[in-house]
Amino acid sequence: MLKHRHIIGSILLVAGTSIGGGMLALPILTSLGGFFPSIIIYLITWIFMAATGLLYLEMCIWMDKETNLVSLARKTLGPFGYYFTWVIYLFFFYCLTVAYVVGTQNFLDFFFNQAMNRWVSSGVFALMFVPIIYLGARAVENVNNLFMFGLILTYILFVIMGVPHIQFERLLDSNFKYAFVAFPVIFTAFGYQGVVPSLTFYLKKNVSVIRWTILIGSFIPFIIYIFWEGLVLGIIPKSNLQEALALGENAIYPFRVILGNQRITIMGECFAFFALASSLLGVTLGLRDFLADGLKIQKNSRGRLILCGIIFIPPIIISIYFPNIFLAALGLAGGIGSALILGLLPILMVWSKRYVLKENGGEYQVMGGKPYLIILGLFAIFEITFVAFYSFGWLKL
């Protein structure tokens, strides 16, 4: 029997997985497009990502036992889909993990006023997060609830402190075509699908509960992003946001320069920590289950220890030697990688399940049929093509 706290915790896990480093980069990357064009792009992206999350749910319900993306891809897309999923998934989620590890350690450096050696702060980080992922979904849910409480509290206080400094005329500046430049990180900022397989079995395959968990949990970030976008773009001049972009900093950095208000800066740094930490938990939990499934590692004591080593050791080492890689790692994770693994892949898997394998029944199936899947697929292809052309300089805005 599912308890209300498990459902609420799962909703917060979906929201927390989305709200992470992407949120801290969004105002910087959307500053050229402006406030209102960015909101439109946010809405379109949320609708698309909620839809693909439900497609992942359909696939997970279809499977008889606990599974992950690699097994789903093998069963529906064959050997090519299996290896394609391995490569793209590992690339995408390791880039995210690197970004969140770097961002979290940068907070520790700020909190201790750069007094700790980077190796020492890495040890502190490992002691904070590795045991949680080692213990699994229940521990992640409990700790994530605390992080989400901290996230909401610091977010509200940050907004209250910042609102008096907003210059609303700055929100009227817009250029819609530049809003698309932020597509890679916007996709990342709405990404949560990696936890859907874990939630499916944690919530005992209760379709109705999981469906609403996905819809509500993914909608919470959309609302938060609207206020966040207005706060940052209304306070910080565009030139300063572009300076932060050039330096590879997150959206909290300009507040130190522009406002010079220590209380707002500290509150902003705390908010950034909770955003990064909550997302880190969701991403690494999904990565743990993916690796356990793909590498056939049992989730006993020894197996969980091996999985934690595979997940955390490479990103921690990278964060030590490349502490300013935050935005670069997010950029690598976003765009083509996120659109492929979170957007196009579930569409292809569901198409294969229904129309190639002829498995169109089951306990749950997303409505809409072929036209629905085609529309979603065309949008994913558009995003991938746009990012590829823009990244390689073939498209000038």
Side-chain angles (χ1 to χ4, degrees):
M1 184 68 179
L2 292 174
K3 297 181 179 180
H4 289 300
R5 66 180 182 86
H6 295 149
I7 298 172
I8 294 173
S10 298
I11 290 173
L12 294 179
L13 179 59
V14 171
T17 303
S18 299
I19 302 170
M23 178 180 181
L24 300 176
L26 285 178
I28 297 174
L29 295 170
T30 58
S31 58
L32 287 176
F35 178 71
F36 291 105
S38 299
I39 300 307
I40 295 173
I41 298 298
Y42 289 167
L43 178 60
I44 294 171
T45 305
W46 169 72
I47 293 172
F48 176 79
M49 297 297 262
T52 59
L54 294 177
L55 293 179
Y56 268 125
L57 172 60
E58 176 179 331
M59 297 301 301
C60 292
I61 293 295
W62 176 53
M63 298 291 282
D64 295 328
K65 59 182 180 179
E66 185 171 0
T67 188
N68 212 282
L69 304 189
V70 65
S71 294
L72 292 172
R74 185 203 295 270
K75 189 166 184 177
T76 56
L77 302 177
F80 173 79
Y82 170 76
Y83 291 112
F84 172 83
T85 303
W86 257 104
V87 172
I88 298 298
Y89 189 100
L90 289 178
F91 172 78
F92 176 63
F93 280 94
Y94 266 111
C95 285
L96 284 182
T97 303
V98 167
Y100 298 155
V101 169
V102 168
T104 307
Q105 286 197 234
N106 288 345
F107 169 82
L108 292 175
D109 291 342
F110 169 82
F111 184 78
F112 290 102
N113 199 24
Q114 306 293 332
M116 284 196 302
N117 177 277
R118 193 73 176 186
W119 284 94
V120 176
S121 67
S122 298
V124 173
F125 169 86
L127 289 174
M128 289 175 62
F129 289 97
V130 173
I132 301 170
I133 300 302
Y134 174 86
L135 293 173
R138 181 66 59 85
V140 169
E141 178 200 324
N142 292 333
V143 176
N144 186 70
N145 289 345
L146 295 176
F147 284 159
M148 286 301 293
F149 175 78
L151 175 69
I152 294 169
L153 178 62
T154 53
Y155 175 81
I156 292 173
L157 293 175
F158 190 48
V159 170
I160 292 173
M161 291 180 181
V163 163
H165 300 276
I166 292 178
Q167 298 182 30
F168 288 96
E169 62 273 13
R170 287 180 175 157
L171 301 181
L172 301 178
D173 183 25
S174 64
N175 190 328
F176 195 89
K177 68 178 182 179
Y178 286 111
F180 290 96
V181 174
F183 244 146
V185 176
I186 292 175
F187 261 63
T188 303
F190 282 95
Y192 62 90
Q193 290 89 329
V195 302
V196 172
S198 302
L199 287 178
T200 299
F201 290 88
Y202 179 64
L203 296 175
K204 305 183 187 305
K205 300 183 75 172
N206 187 318
V207 172
S208 179
V209 169
I210 303 168
R211 184 173 178 271
W212 282 109
T213 294
I214 290 172
L215 293 175
I216 296 172
S218 62
F219 187 70
I220 290 174
F222 171 70
I223 298 299
I224 291 177
Y225 292 162
I226 291 177
F227 288 99
W228 173 244
E229 187 83 6
L231 181 71
V232 177
L233 296 189
I235 294 176
I236 308 300
K238 185 182 295 186
S239 59
N240 293 96
L241 291 171
Q242 295 306 301
E243 177 188 353
L245 176 61
L247 295 174
E249 294 282 354
N250 63 43
I252 303 300
Y253 171 80
F255 282 88
R256 307 174 202 162
V257 179
I258 298 300
L259 296 183
N261 188 313
Q262 188 175 14
R263 288 190 305 166
I264 295 180
T265 300
I266 292 174
M267 192 60 60
E269 292 288 352
C270 291
F271 165 70
F273 168 77
F274 287 122
L276 289 163
S278 60
S279 194
L280 175 67
L281 290 180
V283 167
T284 50
L285 177 64
L287 186 56
R288 189 194 79 149
D289 291 343
F290 175 87
L291 291 171
D293 178 41
L295 298 177
K296 306 303 178 186
I297 298 176
Q298 296 295 321
K299 294 180 186 177
N300 52 29
S301 299
R302 180 175 177 273
R304 284 178 288 165
L305 188 62
I306 292 172
L307 288 169
C308 286
I310 296 173
I311 292 169
F312 285 105
I313 290 176
I316 288 176
I317 292 175
I318 291 172
S319 73
I320 291 172
Y321 291 102
F322 303 97
N324 296 319
I325 203 174
F326 173 72
L327 287 181
L330 277 180
L332 287 172
I336 296 175
S338 63
L340 285 173
I341 198 74
L342 304 181
L344 193 58
L345 182 64
I347 297 168
L348 294 176
M349 290 195 300
V350 170
W351 185 283
S352 176
K353 164 185 169 287
R354 295 182 190 176
Y355 307 117
V356 178
L357 301 177
K358 306 298 182 181
E359 296 280 353
N360 54 4
E363 299 177 48
Y364 175 66
Q365 182 169 307
V366 178
M367 297 176 61
K370 288 183 178 180
Y372 182 71
L373 295 178
I374 290 172
I375 292 171
L376 292 178
L378 289 175
F379 179 78
I381 293 170
F382 162 76
E383 195 276 343
I384 294 168
T385 304
F386 173 85
V387 172
F389 275 62
Y390 184 79
S391 299
F392 287 105
W394 300 334
L395 177 66
K396 303 294 183 182
L397 296 179

